Amino acid sequence: MLKGKVALITGSTSGIGLGIARALAAQGCGVMLNGFGDAAAIERLCLELSEQHGAPVAYNRADLTHPAEIETLVADAVAQMGGLDILVNNAGIQHTAPVEEFPPEKWDAILAVNLSASFHTIHHALPHMKAKGWGRILNIASVHGLVASPNKAAYVAAKHGLVGLTKVVALETAGLGITCNAICPGWTRTELIEPQILAKAQALGVGLEAGGQALLAEKQPSRQFVSIEQIGQLAVFLCSSAAVQITGTAVPIDGGWTAQ
Ligand code: NAD
């Protein structure tokens, strides 16, 4: 369905970003990966993805806290892959603490990666999409782009900001063949939430599995984790022609979290 298209997915060396990269590659889409990790493991991942799906795969290690590296990342995607049709702003980091104890440097880092980086990628990617009259921008926000939880000041502020940015870009691109939407996952079992599972398990004096179940019980009515494959399929749908009139939305995939 997406044969010949090119996607840049930030933070795609693990977790949700990798799930989205796999799902897009399975549709024949070329993918530019980005994110941190062991260089040899990332090289193996690129090979595996391109062999499995026959689609071009490239990688750029840009650190998204540096706007100059983001500019190079977008330029590299265009140069290596021959264009840029789909942008998935997925990279994200987390830190939990009450506001008065929240380290200012953690606030700055979370705002930089979870919000400002998406402004910079969109800023550089949009001219390529406008030139083709086709584009899809997916911002991986969170349920925390729609509702709040204690101890997540920076994360909640950044994700609410990302939903706002999504709406502005959707309005500015409406009718141009370009859509911009946010995906708002609930608990998804990735490295990002392992510290929270561990903290819950330790607080309750239970194992990691029971700690995970306790986190789900607090917020996610389905009491099941969202899977990275499910988020990948939602991303594929939002990139499809059927979704061309879906723009400016923030789509929850959260087991009922935000219905409460
Ligand atoms: P993850 O830790 O597995 O993945 C994060 C990715 O971002 C990694 O590839 C990492 O290398 C990359 N990254 C981090 N800092 C970076 C930087 N400065 N420059 C470049 N890349 C950087 O976590 P995940 O759960 O897959 O998170 C992906 C996105 O999904 C995040 O935006 C997160 O907020 C969001 N999200 C996650 C959950 C969840 O429950 N896991 C829920 C809602 C939203």
Side-chain angles (χ1 to χ4, degrees):
M1 189 178 77
L2 298 173
K3 210 168 170 49
K5 303 282 190 216
V6 172
L8 165 60
I9 305 121
T10 68
S12 44
T13 48
S14 67
I16 293 171
L18 180 53
I20 294 173
R22 285 190 192 283
L24 292 176
Q27 297 296 322
C29 189
V31 292
M32 166 66 90
L33 304 178
N34 156 260
F36 301 147
D38 175 65
I42 293 170
E43 205 177 318
R44 279 197 302 277
L45 176 64
C46 290
L47 261 178
E48 179 212 314
L49 268 178
S50 65
E51 281 174 11
Q52 205 173 354
H53 303 296
V57 180
Y59 167 71
N60 182 304
R61 196 192 176 280
D63 179 342
L64 302 176
T65 57
H66 300 302
E69 292 190 29
I70 299 177
E71 184 171 7
T72 309
L73 170 67
V74 173
D76 190 28
V78 172
Q80 281 205 52
M81 316 284 290
L84 182 52
D85 308 292
I86 298 168
L87 169 65
V88 184
N89 287 308
N90 166 79
I93 52 175
Q94 175 63 288
H95 182 80
T96 57
V99 173
E100 71 275 23
E101 291 164 24
F102 212 93
E105 61 279 10
K106 292 280 184 196
W107 168 274
D108 289 342
I110 289 173
L111 267 286
V113 178
N114 296 20
L115 177 58
S116 298
S118 299
F119 159 73
H120 293 291
T121 53
I122 293 169
H123 175 78
H124 294 297
L126 256 186
H128 299 285
M129 296 178 179
K130 283 188 173 171
K132 281 194 184 172
W134 197 97
R136 294 286 186 272
I137 300 170
L138 301 179
N139 295 323
I140 309 307
S142 165
V143 286
H144 287 115
L146 303 169
V147 296
S149 296
N151 301 325
K152 296 185 175 175
Y155 191 83
V156 169
K159 296 297 190 180
H160 273 68
L162 187 56
V163 169
L165 175 65
T166 302
K167 293 177 184 176
V168 173
V169 174
L171 293 178
E172 292 184 6
T173 55
L176 302 180
I178 299 167
T179 67
C180 180
N181 291 287
I183 291 179
C184 299
W187 291 125
T188 309
R189 190 125 193 208
T190 67
E191 285 167 31
L192 186 99
I193 69 161
E194 284 309 316
Q196 295 173 73
I197 293 177
L198 184 63
K200 181 59 81 181
Q202 284 171 345
L204 297 175
V206 297
L208 282 180
E209 274 321 297
Q213 283 305 316
L215 272 191
L216 288 171
E218 270 177 8
K219 299 279 189 180
Q220 198 145 299
S222 66
R223 301 213 176 194
Q224 292 164 349
F225 285 103
V226 181
S227 75
I228 60 172
E229 289 79 12
Q230 290 158 356
I231 299 172
Q233 289 311 310
L234 176 56
V236 167
F237 171 70
L238 289 171
C239 290
S240 72
S241 54
V244 72
Q245 291 304 323
I246 300 177
T247 194
T249 68
V251 186
I253 173 165
D254 65 1
W257 181 325
T258 52
Q260 298 168 98

